[in-house]
Amino acid sequence: MDWLERAAELRQWTRSGTRAPHKPLLFLYALGRFQQDAEGELRYSAVEDDLKELLAEYGPPHRTTPSYPFHHLVGDGVWAVRTDRGTGSPGTGVRELRETGASGRLVPELRSALRRDPSLGDRIARVLLERNFPPSLHADLCEAVGLEPGWEPPRGDEQRSTARRQRDRRMREMVLTAYEYRCAFCGYDGRIGTSPVGLEAAHVRWWAFGGPDDVDNGLCLCSLHHKLFDKGVLGVGESLRILVSQRFVGHSPAAREHVIALSGRPLIGPQPGTPSVAATHRAWHADQVFHGDPRPGTAVQVRHPFAGPAVESCP
């Protein structure tokens, strides 16, 4: 039984690049808990809040519930649920899951495979992360679910069985060159000698969701703004101006200066002759990653790509 293929082929609801990371998040959480207690079960009522927090931070912008993956992951052959009445899930209803004492854990065959080969958990986690989340979030997610991965390189046969497409390693250089080695949000351009430091090529439409390794799907961002962009705090609106989520709260001078004050500012770059971020990729990020509505800018036309008509904002 190829557990890596099962992890790579989890059945998820998809439509036009819509994110549905509910099952991968539960699977990662279960792997983390297995590392801590290989025999333990996850009672829905005990882990519901943990799963809600994971979905709120790493799931889609719209509200969702952990009851769906708790029930539906069973169909992928990696997860089993039982209740006080016996084996089998009572369904996706939150009340039923709570009142029947529903508990879940990895299927016995997978638990046995993980005991025989402890590195298998790392490799499964790697597949789940690469298929569903951008690299900037991988370490944070592992910490959130309690995983301590060794990140062993995948073996040749594993790479062939789980990889549908390969990343273009030239993208970083192409994007950084297009933006002249400056953060498109704040202008940061630090170097050590001749090597840029703290600058990264960010995918606007995530690679895991069909985002191409092209300049018009990339932004040169500093490490801070890359993380905030992938977390949905920052976005790019019409006229290529920066969006800042109203859900972001920061009272310190640093938060105001480095995040809130960006609202409504135009992107820095790219240089003439190179394509700016394509509207289709901006729209995907706004719909699937950016959280809530944007803050008003300062005397500029700013609107969410999926909102109504733009309005003139005030200082």
Side-chain angles (χ1 to χ4, degrees), residues 14-155:
T14 57
R15 185 184 67 185
S16 302
T18 300
R19 293 178 60 218
H22 309 66
K23 287 183 178 180
L25 284 171
L26 175 57
F27 201 169
L28 286 166
Y29 183 80
L31 287 170
R33 293 294 292 266
F34 179 85
Q35 279 190 351
Q36 300 164 28
D37 180 6
E39 297 301 325
E41 290 187 321
L42 305 181
R43 195 174 182 90
Y44 181 80
S45 58
V47 301
E48 182 178 8
D49 287 343
D50 284 353
L51 297 176
K52 281 182 177 178
E53 289 182 11
L54 283 174
L55 283 168
E57 187 164 1
Y58 298 100
H62 55 80
R63 293 187 63 182
T64 186
T65 172
S67 63
Y68 291 110
F70 203 92
H71 167 76
H72 287 297
L73 188 60
V74 172
D76 292 281
V78 298
W79 176 252
V81 175
R82 69 178 184 87
T83 68
D84 295 338
R85 299 192 293 257
T87 58
S89 172
T92 59
V94 173
R95 182 176 178 179
E96 289 76 10
L97 287 166
R98 292 172 180 166
E99 292 182 350
T100 60
S103 298
R105 62 176 176 173
L106 302 174
V107 296
E109 298 87 352
L110 177 53
R111 298 201 308 273
S112 297
L114 289 167
R115 291 190 190 94
R116 290 194 303 270
D117 179 7
S119 72
L120 176 61
D122 291 349
R123 288 179 276 132
I124 291 175
R126 188 187 191 105
V127 169
L128 293 169
L129 290 167
E130 290 184 346
R131 286 300 183 88
N132 296 280
F133 305 97
S136 67
L137 301 184
H138 290 183
D140 289 349
L141 243 175
C142 285
E143 183 176 355
V145 300
L147 275 171
E148 299 180 3
W151 296 132
E152 295 181 359
R155 302 166 188 168

Side-chain angles (χ1 to χ4, degrees), residues 262-307:
L262 296 176
S263 180
R265 289 185 186 176
L267 291 182
I268 300 171
Q271 61 177 289
T274 56
S276 57
V277 180
T280 54
H281 303 321
R282 288 192 285 106
W284 182 89
H285 185 275
D287 190 48
Q288 296 298 314
V289 181
F290 189 77
H291 280 277
D293 295 318
R295 290 171 174 263
T298 54
V300 294
Q301 294 267 318
V302 182
R303 77 176 178 95
H304 191 290
F306 285 92

